[in-house]
Amino acid sequence: MKNIRNFSIIAHIDHGKSTLADRLIQLTHAIDERDFQDQVLDTMDLERERGITIKSQTIVLPYKSKDKTDYVFNLIDTPGHVDFTYEVSRALAACEGVLLVVDATQGVQAQTIANYYLALENDLAVIPIINKIDMKSADIDMTREQIDKELGLDAYSALLASGKTGDGVAEILEAVVHRIPAPSGDETGPLRALIFDSQFDTYRGAVITCRIFDGGIKPGDEIKFFSRDTTYKVEEVGVHRLRREKRQSLAVGEVGYVIAGVRKVSDTKIGDTITCAENPAETPLPGYRDVLPVVFSSLYPTEADDYQQLADAIEKLRLNDPALTYQKDSSISLGFGFRCGFLGLLHLDIIQERLEREYGLSLILTAPSVKYNINLTNGEKLSVDNPMLYPDPSVIESTEEPYIRGQIILPERYLGNIHPLCKDHRGENPKMNYLSPKRVDLTYDLPLAEVLYDFYDKLKSVTQGYASFDYELLDYRKTDLVKLDILVNTDKVDALSMLVHRSRAEYRARRVCERLREAIPKQLFKIPIQGAIGGKIIARETISALRKDVTSKCYGGDITRKRKLLDKQKEGKKRMKMVGSVEIPQEAFLSVLKTTDDD
């Protein structure tokens, strides 16, 4: 064990984690040069296009130190976005140390601080690294000062590096040897292994990625999970290179994979503990909890015939993404679909994109919602995330909505723009801390539903992109919730209904009506578009009628001839309005989901 080092790379989004991982892999010759490509650990096309890491990836790096000692490095590359914080925390639980990467051009950001605290909670050794020193706009002294003041780390122990050019990477590898401790554990005790990732193999079932804390594991062993009573027989164990590499066994301190004929990835819950069925450990490894979705949206196929294809696609996708939850749903206007739960808006966006790309589906999404607690007059309590399940207001005693604690780090000159934005989104309990004379750490308690709608887009707009945002779920607080219905030609469109705070209902209704007026094509009769709370109309737009020129063939003659034709058209339009139904195109549903204001 003394020659093993388990570590992870953590940073704010776009601070260069994946690029630095590329240089570490190249310098240790972990894979052949002909197999190498940029962002080598990002295996999805979507990750490469967006330049973000969506799934944690593990790779074993062989390293010979300056004193000619052979070491084994287990590198775990983690996502940087706040939606995947739980996945980051489980990956860190499998490590003894982290490389904390800070961009020399941007300094310490909100997610840098959040991930640093995650590392402290797991009692990990932290090696600060100032990355992108090759950039012209790099300010190393400023970055050192922020590492000292905002993180409380020794700024002069920070290593200077460039993931792009490879400068300083050799020093990072040596620092891993000397500044990150070797793993510890009981080699002879019962098996305890932490699951921190899993993926689905069509032929082998679930491939579990785990860290061995006590005991060992080899093919033929009978294992079980602490969260379930079922036992499985180990078929294969090994380590992750660019591809899986089979081994005879995995021992204490090692990170690798286990294949044991598990057919559902949902059985291999991230954070769960594997133990031996014959000689089980008495207690699991600490920190396990179920991942709970916070954002909900319904997915419907554009063509009703694609429903079964969508059902198969979601089931297959969930095999590689256990955080996705779904159940059957139906709508009068959109037909059959699925109500899905996500970790955040980015997670929703990624799932939608993967379904459309990998399975060739065309989808319609309803407006994202959060889970509300509703207390009824008869003493019952409901949890509602779907507007269609909202009970009659007469039986509701009170409603509660989830709140988050948001941390915004921004230059001091934009402070005047942020306070009105947070107040407009019902922000409470502001706290301010000057990190330096020109940088402010601002904390607000905000309703999660407000953050989902348009908060992040407006935050970037009013700070010209300089603010960084991170949040954590707090609690549920009482709110004045109403169900906003959208009526098209007096018919209620259930897929456009939403749950909103009463103070924001009129604004949201006007925005939806305006967008639908632009998206729905004209008919031969007027189409009213209305926003309503119960029986009260609070917003209205009208799509004017498409007028056919029925008098175009009348050349001269008495005016009564033209009037006769116009009256006939008028009567026809009355009949049309009585029986006329409006077809709402897919673009209209998508336009409602836009969060940025056009004006």
Side-chain angles (χ1 to χ4, degrees):
M1 283 191 291
K2 67 178 183 179
N3 291 345
I4 297 175
R5 298 291 183 273
N6 299 318
F7 67 97
S8 187
I9 304 178
I10 56 175
H12 189 77
I13 304 164
D14 201 32
H15 277 205
K17 292 189 307 296
S18 297
T19 309
L20 186 62
D22 287 349
R23 300 292 84 77
L24 294 172
I25 291 166
Q26 278 186 310
L27 204 62
T28 55
H29 307 291
I31 60 175
D32 292 335
E33 201 62 38
R34 62 185 176 184
D35 293 329
F36 182 80
Q37 55 181 333
D38 288 341
Q39 290 177 255
V40 69
L41 292 180
D42 292 342
T43 53
M44 284 187 228
D45 290 339
L46 206 54
E47 290 179 310
R48 296 177 180 285
E49 286 177 21
R50 296 195 176 205
I52 58 173
T53 301
I54 296 167
K55 286 289 292 176
S56 289
Q57 298 291 340
T58 307
I59 190 167
V60 175
L61 309 177
Y63 177 64
K64 188 184 286 288
S65 65
K66 288 183 178 178
D67 60 4
K68 305 301 179 185
T69 306
D70 289 321
Y71 288 89
V72 174
F73 291 171
N74 291 307
L75 166 62
I76 303 169
D77 187 28
T78 60
H81 197 276
V82 66
D83 283 7
F84 307 110
T85 298
Y86 182 64
E87 194 167 335
V88 175
S89 69
R90 291 301 89 212
L92 295 187
C95 299
E96 277 74 38
V98 293
L99 305 180
L100 180 64
V101 179
V102 182
D103 188 335
T105 64
Q106 297 182 45
V108 173
Q109 301 285 306
Q111 200 65 28
T112 315
I113 297 173
N115 285 335
Y116 172 62
Y117 284 136
L118 284 178
L120 291 184
E121 284 173 20
N122 287 279
D123 199 23
L124 303 182
V126 178
I127 303 176
I129 294 169
I130 299 174
N131 194 27
K132 302 189 183 181
I133 59 170
D134 59 303
M135 302 280 284
K136 288 183 179 178
S137 56
D139 188 340
I140 295 170
D141 291 336
M142 176 270 293
T143 308
R144 282 193 197 276
E145 186 181 334
Q146 290 179 13
I147 289 172
D148 179 36
K149 287 188 176 179
E150 298 171 30
L151 302 179
L153 293 170
D154 179 5
Y156 290 93
S157 70
L159 302 174
L160 304 180
S162 168
K164 186 177 180 181
T165 64
D167 291 343
V169 177
E171 287 75 14
I172 293 174
L173 290 169
E174 278 298 308
V176 168
V177 171
H178 299 293
R179 292 164 64 175
I180 292 179
S184 59
D186 185 357
E187 295 181 25
T188 58
L191 169 68
R192 289 202 307 171
L194 175 74
I195 300 172
F196 64 87
D197 197 13
S198 60
Q199 61 187 71
F200 188 73
D201 185 294
T202 309
Y203 305 104
R204 308 297 301 275
V207 180
I208 303 162
T209 304
C210 61
R211 154 76 193 276
I212 313 295
F213 278 87
D214 294 312
I217 189 169
K218 61 184 186 300
D221 287 352
E222 289 278 340
I223 61 168
K224 71 173 186 176
F225 306 129
F226 263 89
S227 65
R228 295 178 178 271
D229 290 330
T230 49
T231 60
Y232 302 94
K233 188 174 182 178
V234 178
E235 298 171 4
E236 181 182 303
V237 298
V239 296
H240 291 283
R241 298 275 185 175
L242 194 56
R243 299 170 187 84
R244 295 197 295 267
E245 192 174 278
K246 193 174 176 180
R247 292 281 173 89
Q248 295 295 318
S249 64
L250 290 176
V252 177
E254 291 190 303
V255 174
Y257 69 87
V258 176
I259 298 174
V262 183
R263 290 296 155 197
K264 293 181 180 177
V265 169
S266 55
D267 289 349
T268 61
K269 295 184 176 180
I270 292 176
D272 200 0
T273 303
I274 302 173
T275 190
C276 187
E278 295 177 2
N279 180 26
E282 292 181 4
T283 56
L285 294 162
Y288 170 70
R289 59 183 172 86
D290 283 322
V291 187
L292 299 175
V294 295
V295 177
F296 299 86
S297 178
S298 293
L299 274 65
Y300 299 95
T302 307
E303 300 293 333
D305 295 343
D306 291 341
Y307 172 75
Q308 190 55 48
Q309 189 182 347
L310 174 61
D312 295 340
I314 289 179
E315 189 176 351
K316 288 176 183 175
L317 198 60
R318 193 175 186 278
L319 293 172
N320 286 308
D321 190 351
L324 172 67
T325 62
Y326 68 96
Q327 61 187 40
K328 290 181 180 178
D329 194 15
S330 62
S331 160
I332 296 169
S333 52
L334 296 177
F336 292 100
F338 293 91
R339 187 72 178 173
C340 299
F342 307 91
L343 299 176
L345 280 184
L346 177 67
H347 191 210
L348 183 156
D349 195 22
I350 295 296
I351 294 296
Q352 180 200 355
E353 190 110 7
R354 289 187 68 184
L355 286 170
E356 291 181 345
R357 283 189 182 203
E358 297 173 22
Y359 301 97
L361 291 163
S362 179
L363 300 174
I364 294 174
L365 276 76
T366 60
S369 177
V370 299
K371 186 172 283 187
Y372 296 95
N373 290 339
I374 299 175
N375 302 310
L376 304 182
T377 51
N378 62 4
E380 287 185 34
K381 290 187 176 183
L382 297 177
S383 288
V384 173
D385 60 66
N386 191 337
M388 285 184 267
L389 302 177
Y390 190 70
D392 189 289
S394 63
V395 300
I396 296 173
E397 185 177 303
S398 62
T399 53
E400 298 173 341
E401 65 177 330
Y403 266 68
I404 61 158
R405 177 152 292 160
Q407 182 188 34
I408 307 165
I409 295 180
L410 70 156
E412 192 264 348
R413 64 181 180 274
Y414 296 112
L415 200 56
N417 299 340
I418 290 293
H419 285 301
L421 175 67
C422 292
K423 289 290 183 187
D424 190 44
H425 287 76
R426 298 190 285 127
E428 302 173 3
N429 196 23
K431 293 176 184 174
M432 192 167 62
N433 176 33
Y434 273 84
L435 301 171
S436 69
K438 293 185 179 180
R439 275 167 62 85
V440 181
D441 179 358
L442 192 61
T443 304
Y444 261 97
D445 294 352
L446 292 154
L448 179 58
E450 295 287 341
V451 175
L452 290 184
Y453 181 58
D454 61 358
F455 180 78
Y456 192 70
D457 291 331
K458 287 187 174 178
L459 175 70
K460 288 295 181 185
S461 176
V462 300
T463 61
Q464 298 179 316
Y466 282 101
S468 61
F469 181 63
D470 180 52
Y471 68 85
E472 60 180 5
L473 288 170
L474 265 186
D475 51 20
Y476 275 77
R477 301 181 187 179
K478 284 197 173 182
T479 185
D480 187 5
L481 193 67
V482 293
K483 181 184 177 185
L484 173 62
D485 291 314
I486 303 298
L487 289 73
V488 176
N489 200 26
T490 69
D491 291 332
K492 191 182 293 183
V493 184
D494 55 355
L496 294 176
S497 297
M498 59 187 79
L499 300 175
V500 296
H501 191 269
R502 190 179 295 275
S503 66
R504 303 280 288 170
E506 185 180 339
Y507 169 76
R508 293 285 290 275
R510 288 186 185 281
R511 297 300 300 166
V512 172
C513 290
E514 286 169 10
R515 285 172 180 158
L516 287 177
R517 185 194 65 194
E518 294 166 3
I520 296 175
K522 287 184 177 183
Q523 307 289 325
L524 291 172
F525 52 92
K526 283 184 181 179
I527 304 170
I529 300 170
Q530 298 163 309
I533 298 174
K536 183 182 178 183
I537 304 299
I538 59 171
R540 172 176 172 138
E541 293 287 337
T542 304
I543 300 174
S544 58
L546 187 67
R547 182 177 178 273
K548 182 180 177 183
D549 189 1
V550 292
T551 61
S552 60
K553 292 183 181 179
C554 288
Y555 298 104
D558 198 301
I559 188 66
T560 54
R561 291 181 63 203
K562 291 186 179 182
R563 287 213 178 122
K564 188 178 177 182
L565 288 170
L566 290 170
D567 288 342
K568 188 178 178 182
Q569 183 187 43
K570 192 175 179 182
E571 289 298 318
K573 285 195 177 187
K574 276 185 182 176
R575 286 198 304 274
M576 246 184 195
K577 192 172 183 181
M578 283 191 291
V579 298
S581 61
V582 180
E583 186 175 334
I584 303 175
Q586 181 190 7
E587 292 75 24
F589 289 96
L590 295 177
S591 70
V592 174
L593 290 178
K594 289 180 185 174
T595 57
T596 51
D597 289 340
D598 300 325
D599 45 14

